[in-house]
């Protein structure tokens, strides 16, 4: 093995821009050569080739595992010959899903949508890499140095004192330091087998509260398989907005979509990347970024985001734990909010609550559902019955009616989601953080609470006029 | 997999296709079963349709030329980038020859045509010219009698023997 040539530094040859060639040889020494749609980087010592059709290459590697790949740097035209030994075929799991998603982008790029069907991911051990002599173009300077930018992003996360602060700083840092102007952060709702948007950047509508089922689109697959997925070209079948809608149609849930918060997102992104956020006990969320520019996200950028997300995942859990134990760092400013009755309207605010899915509608408009909806109904009911406006995370955790999971309840993230949805949708009803693990209800109009179905928390109709 | 045996001259449609300035890769293997490959820079077929000749930069093909010299077994894949039409031809009697003056003269047209074809994928012309650049003094010719042909256009029929008279 040439000690100076590593697949780590040649990964842009594997982006699928210029198809590679693969030579194999049968047991009776008859060579075979073919173009291959995708050679994927696995790690420093392994690559994977897409297995789509039963063909001579397939037959040969099962009989004689040696293969040679001729790959090209799409920037400089430099050629490299890579010798490898076939090890195994994977037909499911993270590596398979990663390749399947990337292949969808390549198929679209090559005008071959519907032709490619990934049967398996053939994993090879790299034996040798040889630089093939020949004319080359000078390498252009990269637009942005990724390592210093990663360091800046990491330092910003270190200074975050609250979860809300971290959500916003993470996306802002990606924009400022890495030029990722369209991004969103989603948290895992484990019992619901879905993810929900808690922060987004670069879209006309924030989409906060929008949901994506596990396994649907780039984001859902990255979450289910806990693997980063990066697509270099437009891959319509992986666009999550379309994927979510198609799944809903398939399951006969089209009506329900009318009450679903629209996902933010570019219409037909040309590059997509979804990175899981790992926590101590497994996945806690997904970071997603996209671009209208083809091949916008490199392997190196993917590495940077995987590293940053590892830090963000642990930081989120640390801040949640600190909040739970009352050890979170002090908030920089006093956020104790005062009610401002000047804007109060004499009209009542009609709040409907559907027990079935904990959905809340304000003046007929959908606001939120799930745990965040149950929390809102719980505090509004408390307010209507006892006049309470100050609440603690601890009392919510102890309230069995809210159905919070015992482990990883993500309560703080759900409160941020609720706070932001209220900011966007209901100017007369807000919640604001008043300290670690505490928040206050701010109401500027009288309330009418209307429980629908069989409500467990409140009497059938409660008219409240304290505001 | 059944080989499509080619006996006698190549089909005129096939000749027309493989000599239309396509993207070409050539493979050979050592007697120990180690495969290797290189890009070719043009193809021509003898007047009788029985001999296929490929132009190879020798500096890029040291190992491949050693394999050919050892056992003469060869495989070459021809791909039309903008349509994905692909065909593979194989032979057992490849030999290394000097290129002709006509081969050297044809190099410019080959690069021009491929650069145009790759524009379909927004590949910059400067890239294509670097990619297919070759010094005629470095080129050698590999000639062989094709003995098998396979269609390799992407799809479920990739790898099947090419039927006589059919286009890839």
């Amino acid at each position: 093995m040439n000690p100076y040539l590593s697949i780590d530094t040649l990964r842009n040859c594997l982006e699928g821009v210029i198809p590679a060639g693969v030579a194999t040889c049968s047991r009776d020494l008859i060579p075979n050569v073919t173009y291959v749609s995708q050679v994927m980087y696995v790690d420093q010592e392994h690559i994977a080739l897409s297995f789509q059709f039963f063909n001579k290459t397939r037959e040969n590697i099962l009989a004689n595992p040696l293969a040679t790949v001729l790959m090209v740097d799409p920037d400089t035209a430099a050629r490299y010959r890579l010798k490898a030994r076939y090890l195994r075929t994977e037909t499911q799991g993270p590596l398979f899903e990663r390749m399947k998603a990337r292949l969808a982008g390549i198929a679209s790029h090559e005008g071959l949508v519907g032709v490619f069907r990934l049967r398996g991911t053939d994993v090879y051990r790299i034996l040798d890499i040889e630089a093939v002599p020949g004319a080359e173009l000078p390498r252009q300077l990269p637009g942005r140095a990724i390592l210093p930018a990663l360091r800046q992003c990491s330092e910003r996360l270190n200074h975050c004192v609250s979860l809300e602060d971290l959500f916003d700083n993470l996306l802002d840092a990606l924009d400022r330091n890495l030029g990722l102007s369209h991004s969103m952060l989603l948290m895992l709702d484990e019992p619901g087998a879905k993810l929900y948007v808690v922060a987004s950047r670069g879209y006309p509508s924030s989409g906060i509260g929008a949901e994506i089922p596990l396994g649907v689109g780039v984001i859902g697959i990255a979450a289910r398989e806990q693997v980063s997925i990066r697509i270099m070209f437009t891959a319509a079948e992986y666009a999550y907005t379309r994927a979510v809608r198609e799944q809903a149609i398939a399951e006969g849930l089209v009506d329900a979509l009318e009450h679903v918060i629209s996902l933010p997102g570019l219409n037909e992104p040309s590059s997509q990347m979804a990175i899981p956020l790992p926590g101590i006990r497994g996945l806690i969320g997904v970071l997603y970024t996209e671009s209208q520019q083809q091949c916008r996200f490199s392997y190196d950028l993917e590495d940077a985001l995987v590293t940053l997300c590892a830090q963000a995942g642990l930081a989120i859990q640390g801040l949640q734990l600190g909040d739970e134990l009352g050890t979170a760092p002090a908030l920089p400013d006093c956020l104790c909010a005062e009610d401002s009755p000047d804007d109060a309207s004499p009209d009542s605010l009609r709040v409907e609550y559907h027990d079935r899915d904990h959905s809340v509608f304000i003046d007929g408009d959908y606001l939120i559902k799930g745990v965040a909806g149950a929390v809102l109904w719980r505090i509004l009911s408390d307010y209507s019955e006892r006049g309470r406006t100050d609440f603690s995370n601890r009392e919510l955790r102890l309230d069995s009616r809210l159905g919070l999971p015992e482990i990883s309840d993500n309560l703080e993230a759900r409160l941020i989601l609720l706070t932001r949805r209220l900011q966007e949708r209901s100017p007369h009803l807000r919640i604001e953080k008043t300290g670690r693990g505490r928040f206050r209800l701010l109401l500027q109009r009288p309330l009418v609470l209307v429980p629908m179905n069989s409500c467990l928390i409140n009497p059938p109709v409660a008219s409240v006029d304290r505001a | 997999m059944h080989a499509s045996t080619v006996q006698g001259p190549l089909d005129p449609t096939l000749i027309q296709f493989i000599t239309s300035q396509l993207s070409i890769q050539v493979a050979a293997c050592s007697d120990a079963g180690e495969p290797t490959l290189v890009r070719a820079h043009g193809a021509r077929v003898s007047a009788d349709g029985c001999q296929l000749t490929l132009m190879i930069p020798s500096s890029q093909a040291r190992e491949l030329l050693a394999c050919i010299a050892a056992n003469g077994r060869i495989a070459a894949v021809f791909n039309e980038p903008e349509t994905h039409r692909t065909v593979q031809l194989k032979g057992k009697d490849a030999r290394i020859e000097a290129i002709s003056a006509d081969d050297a003269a044809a190099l410019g047209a080959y690069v021009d045509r491929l650069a145009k074809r790759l524009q379909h994928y927004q590949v910059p012309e400067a890239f294509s010219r670097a990619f297919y650049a070759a010094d005629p003094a470095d080129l050698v010719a590999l000639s062989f009698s094709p003995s098998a042909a396979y269609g390799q256009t992407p799809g479920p029929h990739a790898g099947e023997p090419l039927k006589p008279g059919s286009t890839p």
Side-chain angles (χ1 to χ4, degrees), chain A residues 52-71:
Chain A
Q52 298 167 61
F53 312 109
F54 291 100
N55 54 23
K56 194 69 186 172
T57 299
R58 181 85 191 148
E59 193 181 310
N60 283 355
I61 59 156
L62 294 178
N64 167 16
L66 298 177
T68 300
V69 177
L70 182 60
M71 57 190 196

Side-chain angles (χ1 to χ4, degrees), chain B residues 56-136:
Chain B
I56 306 286
S58 60
S59 61
Q60 300 181 12
R62 201 173 32 87
E63 204 173 312
L64 180 129
L65 294 174
C67 293
I68 296 287
N71 57 43
R73 294 172 188 267
I74 190 168
V77 65
F78 301 78
N79 166 266
E80 189 173 51
E82 65 275 34
T83 64
H84 304 288
R85 287 201 298 156
T86 309
V87 62
Q88 183 180 200
L89 298 177
K90 294 191 182 185
K92 296 174 182 170
D93 60 352
R95 61 200 174 277
I96 304 159
E97 299 171 341
I99 63 163
S100 68
D102 285 350
D103 293 333
L107 197 59
Y110 178 77
V111 177
D112 288 348
R113 181 78 187 276
L114 261 178
K116 259 198 185 122
R117 290 187 185 281
L118 291 177
Q119 278 172 10
H120 181 78
Y121 295 102
Q122 288 84 47
V123 174
E125 190 176 336
F127 178 94
S128 301
R129 294 203 171 276
F131 191 41
Y132 291 106
D135 176 3

